[in-house]
């Protein structure tokens, strides 16, 4: 049985006709704006993202790190507007896949859907590894965190648990997500307050690690004295914002699906930049960018600046920041499964994947089969890479930037092309449907190629394959795998109609 909802459609040339978006059987209207914002924030794993990235940016940009975080936010914001505008016309949980289909046709759609799924599967492997490590850092003297077998098994259990939560229903997932969000932000808040107290109580000139705030940190002229460092820093910072688009993938389960998810995405993006810049400023002022002790420029601290600072800032309560990072990673694990499963659900409903992917569980109203496939795929990839080569796992995780840049840029270009005939209707349309999405898409396309060139260098990352950086090889191979799978689907009886146009949509398939 299938139902349909009508939404404004740009049509093939971006007109204002009515598009029919099939109802897939998901639990409609269960999430509100607050839930959307929370899911957008949680999916980025902000505490872990800062802990793992801040030191790397400081190593390249020093005191200009806050400015770099702002600059990296700009193309992300522009793409957030593209997501919002496309969702207002076509609120389908397939997001990039569905929108690229309307703008450019089936091949672009299939590869866009692959980009979303690929980024999710690979990052789940990273999140599982970090979650396993941080759990065992809390136990005993922390030495168990170095046991590969134990960490891997723990990571697998975390993926399995979050897959189960997502399968059982969006409301259960929302409750789990809210609990994890409270834990990470309360812990981060305590950490921030302790830093503020430490800065306020420090004797001027008496503590070499404390440095006063300086407006020069936001001076573009000073930062661009070394343009290559700015580009490198922005590329590092760009993808810590990834994840706010999760709330768009849940648009069919949100109140007012044409408006609320888009607003949630934009609000999430602004909240993220505020969190990142403010926390970065506090940490810089407390620890400085020096190369000694807890300084952010110390190479020993670059993998996790919070872990290096926790005992100095919180004393015996230092374990709180470990809990914050763990909660952040677990939260992101759950919210990463959500959009990937709904993306493949949409692909199944519209005929781009076998119809079984389009099944929605009758009782739980979740994409049951797609959720399970995403969980299994992430576990297989994580276990295989962990025991094949942890260095190659790390390099494949670095390649996530290519996948994200690809499908974000595709979304931006889709927005411009889909709405092309309405761009002259108003200044608002010109900016939010045209200029800003186009600039965001071009910026991310440039970021894609610059990142690819950097990854080609055999000195980039931890592995080399045939004299080329392992990150480049693994990233390109995984993207090419999507092309191969698209060709297979083009000729497979169950999916070739999607590419040839012999059938419009597979329709909704409901079942257990």
């Amino acid at each position: 049985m299938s139902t349909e909802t009508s939404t404004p459609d740009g049509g093939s040339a971006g007109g204002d006709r009515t598009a029919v978006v099939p109802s897939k059987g998901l639990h409609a209207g269960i999430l509100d704006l607050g839930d959307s914002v929370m899911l957008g924030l949680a999916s980025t794993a902000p505490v872990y993202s800062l802990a793992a990235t801040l030191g790397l940016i400081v190593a390249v940009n020093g005191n200009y790190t806050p400015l770099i975080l702002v600059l990296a936010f700009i193309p992300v914001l522009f793409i957030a507007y593209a997501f919002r505008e496309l969702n207002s016309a076509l609120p389908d949980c397939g997001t990039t896949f569905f929108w690229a289909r309307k703008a450019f046709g089936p091949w672009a759609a299939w590869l866009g859907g692959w980009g979303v799924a690929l980024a999710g599967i690979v990052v789940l492997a990273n999140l599982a590894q970090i979650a396993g490590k941080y759990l065992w850092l809390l136990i005993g003297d922390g030495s168990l965190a170095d046991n590969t077998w134990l960490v891997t098994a723990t990571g697998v259990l975390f993926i399995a648990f979050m897959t189960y939560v997502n399968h059982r229903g969006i409301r259960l997932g929302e409750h789990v997500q809210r609990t994890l969000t409270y834990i990470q932000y309360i812990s981060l808040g305590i950490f921030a307050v302790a830093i503020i107290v430490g800065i306020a109580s420090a004797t001027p000139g008496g503590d070499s690690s404390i440095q006063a705030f300086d407006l020069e940190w936001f001076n573009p002229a000073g930062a661009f004295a070394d343009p290559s460092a700015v580009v490198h820093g922005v590329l590092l910072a760009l993808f810590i914002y990834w994840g706010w688009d999760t709330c768009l993938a849940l648009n069919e389960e949100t109140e007012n699906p044409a408006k609320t998810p888009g607003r949630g995405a934009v609000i999430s993006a602004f909240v993220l930049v505020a969190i990142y810049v403010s926390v970065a400023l506090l940490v810089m002022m407390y620890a400085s960018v020096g190369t000694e002790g807890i300084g952010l420029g110390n190479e020993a601290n670059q993998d996790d600046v919070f872990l290096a600072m926790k005992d100095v800032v919180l004393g015996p309560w230092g374990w709180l920041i470990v809990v914050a990072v763990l909660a952040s990673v677990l939260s992101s694990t759950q919210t990463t499964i959500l959009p990937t499963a709904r993306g493949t659900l949409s692909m199944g409903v519209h005929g781009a994947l076998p119809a079984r992917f389009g099944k929605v569980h009758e009782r739980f109203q979740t994409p049951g089969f797609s959720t399970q496939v995403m969980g299994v795929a992430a576990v297989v990839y994580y276990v295989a890479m962990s025991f094949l080569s942890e260095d190659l796992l790390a390099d494949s995780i670095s390649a996530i930037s290519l996948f994200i840049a690809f499908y974000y840029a595709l979304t931006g270009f889709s927005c411009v092309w889909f709405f092309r005939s309405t761009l002259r209707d108003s200044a608002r349309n010109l900016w939010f449907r045209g200029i800003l999405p186009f600039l965001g898409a071009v910026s991310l396309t440039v970021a894609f190629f610059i990142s690819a060139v950097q990854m080609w260098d055999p000195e980039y990352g931890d592995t080399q394959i045939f004299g080329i950086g392992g990150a480049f090889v693994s990233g390109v191979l995984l993207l090419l795998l999507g092309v191969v799978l698209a060709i297979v689907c083009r000729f497979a009886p169950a999916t070739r109609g999607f590419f040839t146009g012999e059938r419009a949509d597979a329709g909704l398939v409901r079942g257990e």
Side-chain angles (χ1 to χ4, degrees):
M1 172 176 147
S2 174
T3 59
E4 296 176 332
T5 56
S6 296
T7 61
D9 182 8
S12 60
D16 289 319
R17 297 198 302 269
T18 296
V20 176
V21 179
S23 173
K24 303 174 184 63
L26 297 168
H27 196 155
I30 195 170
L31 303 175
D32 58 20
L33 180 60
D35 296 327
S36 288
V37 173
M38 181 192 65
L39 289 167
L41 292 175
S43 190
T44 60
V47 179
Y48 169 65
S49 295
L50 269 177
T53 309
L54 193 56
L56 298 174
I57 301 173
V58 166
V60 177
N61 299 100
N63 282 324
Y64 293 109
T65 292
L67 174 64
I68 297 301
L69 292 173
V70 174
L71 292 177
F73 170 70
I74 294 173
V76 172
L77 177 62
F78 292 171
I79 295 300
Y81 285 128
F83 271 81
R84 185 188 69 179
E85 294 301 309
L86 285 166
N87 181 75
S88 69
L90 299 168
D92 187 282
C93 67
T95 61
T96 298
F97 157 76
F98 189 72
W99 301 331
R101 179 194 182 196
K102 291 292 184 181
F104 300 124
W107 288 95
W110 208 101
L111 293 176
W114 172 250
V116 175
L118 187 59
I121 290 170
V122 175
V123 82
L124 280 170
N126 173 240
L127 295 171
Q129 185 181 50
I130 298 300
K133 176 182 176 181
Y134 271 77
L135 176 66
W136 294 108
L137 281 174
L138 289 170
I139 298 173
D141 61 359
S143 60
L144 290 173
D146 296 323
N147 186 315
T148 300
W149 286 92
L150 185 60
V151 168
T152 302
T154 305
V156 168
L157 289 175
F158 279 137
I159 293 177
F161 175 70
M162 290 306 180
T163 301
Y164 171 79
V165 168
N166 287 334
H167 175 69
R168 292 284 295 185
I170 190 65
R171 180 53 70 195
L172 174 62
E174 191 269 337
H175 288 327
V176 171
Q177 191 58 239
R178 192 173 293 277
T179 300
L180 291 171
T181 300
Y182 288 156
I183 291 172
Q184 68 171 306
Y185 281 107
I186 290 173
S187 299
L188 181 63
I190 293 172
F191 184 66
V193 169
I195 289 178
I196 293 171
V197 171
I199 293 172
S201 60
T203 303
D207 190 335
S208 60
S209 70
I210 303 292
Q211 57 179 354
F213 172 79
D214 192 341
L215 280 176
E216 174 63 23
W217 298 348
F218 291 93
N219 181 8
F224 278 92
D226 185 354
S228 63
V230 173
V231 172
H232 190 184
V234 167
L235 288 174
L236 286 170
L238 189 61
F239 301 105
I240 66 174
Y241 291 102
W242 173 56
W244 48 264
D245 52 312
T246 291
C247 53
L248 275 303
L250 278 78
N251 48 19
E252 296 183 46
E253 296 152 274
T254 306
E255 298 174 354
N256 195 352
K259 295 185 178 296
T260 300
R263 291 172 180 168
V266 174
I267 292 171
S268 297
F270 275 109
V271 173
L272 279 171
V273 72
I275 291 172
Y276 285 151
V277 173
S278 59
V279 173
L281 284 171
L282 287 175
V283 171
M284 282 176 55
M285 291 171 65
Y286 188 89
S288 82
V289 297
T291 57
E292 303 293 332
I294 63 172
L296 304 183
N298 187 337
E299 288 187 8
N301 303 337
Q302 285 181 9
D303 289 341
D304 192 331
V305 295
F306 290 172
L307 200 61
M309 295 175 61
K310 66 181 181 65
D311 293 330
V312 177
V313 176
L314 295 172
W317 293 90
W319 56 269
L320 275 174
I321 201 62
V322 179
V323 170
V325 174
L326 177 59
S328 178
V329 171
L330 289 176
S331 179
S332 186
T333 300
Q334 182 197 344
T335 51
T336 298
I337 296 172
L338 287 172
T340 52
R342 279 151 182 79
T344 52
L345 168 73
S346 182
M347 294 177 76
V349 166
H350 296 293
L353 287 176
R356 192 174 182 188
F357 281 89
K359 289 183 177 180
V360 173
H361 196 284
E362 284 280 359
R363 178 184 172 191
F364 303 135
Q365 295 181 277
T366 60
F369 181 73
S370 286
T371 300
Q372 293 166 5
V373 168
M374 290 302 106
V376 170
V379 166
V380 170
Y381 183 81
Y382 173 44
V383 173
M385 295 299 288
S386 292
F387 293 107
L388 176 65
S389 170
E390 286 196 8
D391 289 339
L392 189 57
L393 172 62
D395 280 348
S396 70
I397 291 166
S398 298
I400 290 174
S401 62
L402 299 179
F403 315 146
I404 300 168
F406 170 72
Y407 87 81
Y408 272 9
L410 178 60
T411 304
F413 288 128
S414 296
C415 182
V416 177
W417 189 250
F418 181 76
F419 290 116
R420 64 191 183 279
S421 69
T422 69
L423 298 183
R424 296 182 181 180
D425 291 352
S426 66
R428 181 198 177 282
N429 282 1
L430 178 63
W431 281 99
F432 290 107
R433 294 180 172 184
I435 294 174
L436 297 183
F438 180 76
L439 290 176
V442 169
S443 299
L444 288 165
T445 301
V446 171
F448 178 96
F449 285 106
I450 293 177
S451 294
V453 170
Q454 291 179 345
M455 292 175 188
W456 177 279
D457 188 342
E459 297 302 315
Y460 186 98
D462 300 316
T463 59
Q464 297 181 24
I465 302 175
F466 303 119
I468 302 172
F472 178 88
V473 174
S474 60
V476 169
L477 285 178
L478 288 171
L479 284 172
L480 289 177
L481 176 60
V483 177
V484 172
L485 292 175
I487 293 173
V488 171
C489 289
R490 163 62 180 81
F491 293 101
T495 53
R496 66 187 175 197
F498 172 77
F499 292 90
T500 62
E502 294 172 1
R503 58 177 181 171
D505 289 324
L508 176 66
V509 182
R510 300 190 68 180
E512 292 297 312

